[in-house]
Amino acid sequence: MGLFRKKGVKATEDSGEVMVSTRELTGRPAVVFYCLCIVASVFHILTNTVWLMPEIHRNALHFAFFVPLAFMIYPFSAKSLDKKPYVDWFLAVLSIICGLYLVFFEDALHARNEQMIELDIFFAGLTLLLMLEIARRAAGKIIPLLAVFFLSYALYWGQFLSGNWNFPGVTISRVLYRMYFAPDGIFGSIATISASYVFLFVLFGSFLVKSGAGDFIIKLAISVVGRSVGGPAKMAVFSSGLMGSVSGSAVANTVSTGSITIPMMKRTGFSPKFAAAVEAAASTGGQIMPPIMGAGAFVMAQWTQISYLKIVAISFIPAILYFVSVIFFVHSRARSEGLQPTAEEDIPRFFDVLKEGWPFFIPIGVLITLMSIGYTPTFAACCAIAAIVGASWMTKNHRMGLMDIVDALALGGKNMVATAIILLCSGVVIGIVLLVSLGVKFSMLISTVAGSSLLVTIGLVGVASLILGMGLPVTASYIILATLSAPFLVNLIKLRYVMAVNPQFVESMGLSLDMISDPTAAGALFAIINTQVPTEHATIFLLAAHLLIFWYSQSANVTPPVCLAAYTAAGIAKSDPFQTGIHAFKLASGLFIIPIMFVYEPAILFLGPLWQTVLTIGIILLALFCTAVSLEGVYIRKLHPLLRIAFGGTAILLYILPELQCWIGVGIFATLTALLKYTSAFDMDEQLEESALTEAA
């Protein structure tokens, strides 16, 4: 049952991606925790397949499983790690009672026409307090502080604000009803996503890990790219992409693959900070890599009503572009430092690795096939979990026995604890945001600052994502930012489309872009604009906005001053954390650039003819390559600063993507390539030799 961490260690939860203290469980508490994790996993499998019950009851039991588990492993503070956790056990029991109370007494509330009695108010208030406290322990202070901020706005100080931000206030009983019994509170839609899609895919990842798929992925990556220049770093990118398709967590990827790839990169000749930055940047892509993409993708599917399969299918190419952009940086750095490929004796033969581990592709195939033919993601995930067990018996060294299956069930429950707490507490924030219409108010704030400028709006979303990401886990950051900014961003994308197709439309309807700053007028403007957007385009624009926010929510993993994936990698590499973060930010530049293409060139999301999508992808790849060349300063040979600037300008021309600028950029790239290959102009090596001779003389 080796599922527990050492006492007093500052740990980073794989799902939550926040630095928190965890308690070592030994003896009877460890057995109880282990058994509860198994029961939780079995319960969620059954309630998502054959055991049907009202969603709010299942969500309340979801709370009754994971909040007690969280109280068992997350102490009040780091100082209380060594103290007997009697209070925490008491709070765990209270949490169970709070979840069960809703299950047994909800019908009585409906029989009273939703009139809450004192006991209802007591348990609703207690549940809210327990939720805020365990969120503080498991996910840091920011989420509960946000919840308290919004709650206090709705209950009290909103009435003292003027203008658009004024809110007259609601009673405490009304708020508690919305938080406890209504479908948009703690046990609402976000809890539904947590108790179904998210949990089953976390469990799916746990089964893959226990089956030995992680070892197979590492070996496969070494066999594919080990012989190329900078092979270990490229292997880190490759393996992190594959692992990310399973775990959907940047920090989990960094820990699992980085412990192998970072030492290999250092032995090859990469500096510790660059090796750590490569792993952090590559692991950040785990959250955007299909088929799992982290918990946020399931929230996205629920909110947009776009099928999860479609989101996964459309996200695949952009995710590949991101990983390729990281490889461009790695290759340039390896060339600049004259690094050699991995030693031949350290590289396993590709076909030997494939022969040993090919059965691990079967569960992924089952998952994708079932979703493709119309089955729900939950059913597909359950079948894929069963397929993992069957596939393991087709390998020689990783056959899962009964105890392996039980351990996988326990690991799935344990890995879900932090994610469940984050999502349940996010329900508090979302419930209040909906209650007081903060999404509309925030959209109006953006419109006041950005006006009708789509690029400025994207910039504001990016800044907001960085600020939120400093204290929030990725999933919570996406949920809050999407709630507040997605509707306005979608409307601006539609407006841009209509203005491109029919530039005179707004004026012909007697409208003006200045109307955007007025809430009432903006509503009328966007309502008319929506009638001019075809349904297929509207769906892609909605998805483009949410994907942009989803990608930007990952940026905090690699953006100083708070970048957990980079700091985690720096700990493995024994490098300076801040310097590692700076390098990771540069290597992950595609994370900031590619989402803009979702909005400005939706052909990348397969909107339009296939030839246009292929051409767009090719141009973006070339632009990403020019970006890496400009920042790293190596292409064919070391580049003169003027040539680095020229490649940077070429990248900008390519990113713009209208036909004329695009082909001008291609022409400049071809010219610069010929100049470097066939002439000695701007040769940095020759200039360095002349400088050395001059100094010697």
Side-chain angles (χ1 to χ4, degrees):
M1 298 194 304
L3 301 177
F4 312 109
R5 303 182 191 275
K6 294 181 180 179
K7 182 183 295 184
V9 172
K10 287 285 185 181
T12 301
E13 284 298 316
D14 294 346
S15 301
E17 296 185 4
V18 287
M19 300 302 292
V20 292
S21 299
T22 55
R23 177 184 292 121
E24 179 188 19
L25 296 178
T26 57
R28 202 169 287 174
V31 174
V32 171
F33 184 90
Y34 182 82
C35 292
L36 279 176
C37 286
I38 295 170
V39 174
S41 294
V42 173
F43 168 80
H44 284 81
I45 291 173
L46 292 176
T47 54
N48 281 284
T49 51
V50 296
W51 184 9
L52 301 180
M53 65 169 58
E55 277 190 0
I56 195 167
H57 290 180
R58 181 189 62 187
N59 297 345
L61 293 173
H62 180 69
F63 174 97
F65 274 114
F66 287 106
V67 173
L69 286 171
F71 274 118
M72 292 181 70
I73 60 173
Y74 295 114
F76 179 81
S77 67
K79 295 179 180 178
S80 61
L81 274 169
D82 297 325
K83 298 178 181 178
K84 289 291 184 180
Y86 297 122
V87 174
D88 293 340
W89 296 343
F90 174 70
L91 295 177
V93 173
L94 276 184
S95 303
I96 296 173
I97 295 172
C98 286
L100 292 176
Y101 180 85
L102 184 141
V103 174
F104 289 108
F105 292 97
E106 187 205 12
D107 290 340
L109 176 73
H110 296 320
R112 295 191 300 271
N113 294 321
E114 319 304 320
Q115 295 299 313
M116 296 176 69
I117 60 176
E118 287 80 0
L119 203 57
D120 295 335
I121 294 174
F122 171 78
F123 276 104
L126 181 61
T127 300
L128 182 58
L129 291 175
L130 289 170
M131 189 72 260
L132 294 175
E133 168 58 15
I134 197 57
R136 181 193 66 81
R137 298 187 185 193
K141 298 178 181 178
I142 301 299
I143 294 181
L145 284 177
L146 276 174
V148 170
F149 175 81
F150 289 134
L151 283 166
S152 61
Y153 170 80
L155 289 169
Y156 180 66
W157 58 267
Q159 61 187 308
F160 299 111
L161 300 181
S162 59
N164 188 47
W165 295 97
N166 177 265
F167 183 75
V170 293
T171 63
I172 184 68
S173 61
R174 179 66 177 166
V175 169
L176 291 176
Y177 173 83
R178 294 290 293 264
M179 292 297 99
Y180 192 66
F181 290 106
D184 54 2
I186 297 174
F187 306 132
S189 58
I190 302 298
T192 296
I193 296 167
S194 178
S196 54
Y197 306 114
V198 176
F199 179 83
L200 288 176
F201 277 84
V202 168
L203 187 61
F204 173 75
S206 300
F207 267 80
L208 273 178
V209 169
K210 293 298 291 185
S211 69
D215 295 336
F216 166 67
I217 288 172
I218 297 293
K219 290 180 181 178
L220 187 66
I222 297 174
S223 68
V224 171
V225 297
R227 293 176 177 82
S228 64
V229 175
K234 294 175 183 177
M235 180 199 74
V237 178
F238 188 80
S239 59
S240 291
L242 293 176
M243 286 293 289
S245 68
V246 174
S247 70
S249 168
V251 175
N253 275 0
T254 302
V255 173
S256 59
T257 61
S259 58
I260 298 173
T261 60
I262 289 175
M264 290 185 67
M265 284 188 272
K266 290 170 66 177
R267 286 198 301 270
T268 305
F270 287 108
S271 66
K273 61 186 177 184
F274 187 80
V278 169
E279 183 57 47
S283 293
T284 297
Q287 295 267 52
I288 60 175
M289 184 67 185
I292 296 180
M293 297 174 60
F298 301 105
V299 179
M300 190 190 308
Q302 185 81 3
W303 280 357
T304 61
Q305 293 301 297
I306 299 172
S307 73
Y308 179 73
L309 179 63
K310 185 169 185 176
I311 292 174
V312 166
I314 286 178
S315 298
F316 183 73
I317 293 298
I320 295 297
L321 289 175
Y322 172 77
F323 284 107
V324 171
S325 72
V326 178
I327 287 177
F328 287 155
F329 281 98
V330 168
H331 186 77
S332 295
R333 177 60 64 95
R335 289 288 300 272
S336 69
E337 298 185 2
L339 303 182
Q340 300 300 313
T342 305
E344 187 66 31
E345 59 270 17
D346 294 333
I347 303 174
R349 292 182 55 194
F350 173 77
F351 288 106
D352 290 342
V353 175
L354 198 62
K355 181 179 179 181
E356 179 184 348
W358 69 266
F360 292 120
F361 289 116
I362 294 176
I364 303 293
V366 169
L367 181 71
I368 294 173
T369 300
L370 289 177
M371 288 195 295
S372 299
I373 60 179
Y375 288 98
T376 64
T378 52
F379 179 80
C382 289
C383 292
I385 289 170
I388 293 172
V389 178
S392 72
W393 279 83
M394 302 173 70
T395 64
K396 291 183 178 180
N397 303 318
H398 299 288
R399 295 177 178 177
M400 295 185 71
L402 179 60
M403 284 309 301
D404 294 318
I405 295 172
V406 172
D407 281 344
L409 291 169
L411 181 62
K414 176 181 177 294
N415 287 346
M416 184 62 193
V417 173
T419 302
I421 298 305
I422 291 166
L423 291 174
L424 287 167
C425 194
S426 295
V428 177
V429 177
I430 301 306
I432 296 297
V433 167
L434 295 176
L435 176 64
V436 301
S437 300
L438 270 178
V440 176
K441 300 176 192 295
F442 190 79
S443 293
M444 291 304 102
L445 175 63
I446 294 177
S447 68
T448 302
V449 177
S452 60
S453 173
L454 182 56
L455 190 59
V456 174
T457 301
I458 292 172
L460 291 174
V461 171
V463 171
S465 69
L466 287 178
I467 295 172
L468 287 175
M470 290 181 186
L472 290 180
V474 165
T475 303
S477 179
Y478 163 71
I479 289 173
I480 293 172
L481 199 55
T483 303
L484 296 175
S485 63
F488 183 71
L489 183 57
V490 172
N491 282 327
L492 276 190
I493 297 172
K494 292 178 179 178
L495 176 62
R496 178 182 178 274
Y497 167 79
V498 172
M499 294 293 289
V501 173
N502 186 356
Q504 286 77 39
F505 176 78
V506 172
E507 292 183 6
S508 68
M509 297 296 294
L511 305 172
S512 169
L513 295 181
D514 295 335
M515 297 169 64
I516 290 177
S517 58
D518 183 338
T520 304
L525 171 64
F526 290 138
I528 295 173
I529 291 296
N530 286 336
T531 64
Q532 303 301 306
V533 181
T535 302
E536 179 189 0
H537 288 58
T539 300
I540 293 297
F541 295 157
L542 176 63
L543 182 56
H546 277 269
L547 280 176
L548 180 142
I549 295 169
F550 183 67
W551 276 53
Y552 278 5
S553 297
Q554 321 299 322
S555 60
N557 277 312
V558 289
T559 306
V562 179
C563 39
L564 284 180
Y567 288 174
T568 302
I572 298 172
K574 295 180 174 58
S575 62
D576 178 77
F578 189 79
Q579 288 296 319
T580 300
I582 294 294
H583 280 275
F585 177 79
K586 180 176 71 172
L587 291 170
S589 57
L591 193 67
F592 308 93
I593 296 169
I594 295 172
I596 299 177
M597 298 296 105
F598 300 161
V599 172
Y600 280 92
E601 194 51 55
I604 193 177
L605 301 180
F606 298 91
L607 180 62
L610 182 60
W611 68 265
Q612 188 176 359
T613 297
V614 173
L615 179 62
T616 299
I617 290 170
I619 295 300
I620 292 174
L621 271 174
L622 184 58
L624 291 169
F625 179 75
C626 289
T627 301
V629 167
S630 176
L631 293 175
E632 284 295 325
V634 177
Y635 174 49
I636 300 178
R637 60 175 186 259
K638 290 184 179 180
L639 300 181
H640 188 279
L642 290 177
L643 285 178
R644 295 180 69 170
I645 294 172
F647 274 105
T650 302
I652 293 173
L653 285 174
L654 293 168
Y655 286 129
I656 294 175
L657 272 176
E659 207 166 305
L660 179 61
Q661 290 95 322
C662 169
W663 294 117
I664 290 175
V666 172
I668 294 175
F669 174 79
T671 302
L672 292 173
T673 299
L675 185 69
L676 288 167
K677 191 169 185 179
Y678 299 111
T679 73
S680 59
F682 300 103
D683 195 323
M684 287 294 291
D685 293 333
E686 290 185 4
Q687 291 183 25
L688 289 172
E689 288 180 11
E690 291 176 5
S691 176
L693 290 173
T694 302
E695 289 180 7

